[in-house]
Amino acid sequence: IQQLRNKTKAEWIANLDRDRRWVRAAQRGGSAVVFQRVDDKSRTVSIHNHPKETYRSTDLVKALLELICWTEETLKSDKFIR
């Protein structure tokens, strides 16, 4: 979790862009970047794009991982963590 807390929001967005299970939803202005799950359009993830900002809350990082369905193995294979 500590490695993920140190990742910037720009890095989270870039990793979601690379993940083929997620696509960007239509941009509506503002700083929010919204992703939709390819196989379930009702599942969305919204990240407010402040590129240098990180997630300080461990609980928020855990909730994001659960929502996005990333495991430690997928994060390592994507080279998002070591």
Side-chain angles (χ1 to χ4, degrees), residues 17-63:
D17 278 332
R18 286 190 296 268
D19 189 333
R20 292 186 178 157
R21 296 174 296 171
W22 293 90
V23 294
R24 283 192 188 213
Q27 193 72 20
R28 297 184 185 173
S31 65
V33 180
V34 180
F35 290 88
Q36 286 182 321
R37 181 81 181 207
V38 172
D39 59 349
D40 182 2
K41 296 288 185 190
S42 67
R43 291 187 64 188
T44 61
V45 174
S46 175
I47 297 179
H48 291 268
N49 189 13
H50 303 286
K52 295 181 182 179
E53 191 173 293
T54 61
Y55 288 109
R56 295 175 191 89
S57 168
T58 301
D59 292 335
L60 183 56
V61 170
K62 287 179 182 177

Side-chain angles (χ1 to χ4, degrees), residues 70-79 81:
W70 283 342
T71 63
E72 186 175 349
E73 292 78 29
T74 58
L75 291 170
K76 284 181 179 179
S77 70
D78 292 344
K79 296 181 180 157
I81 62 171

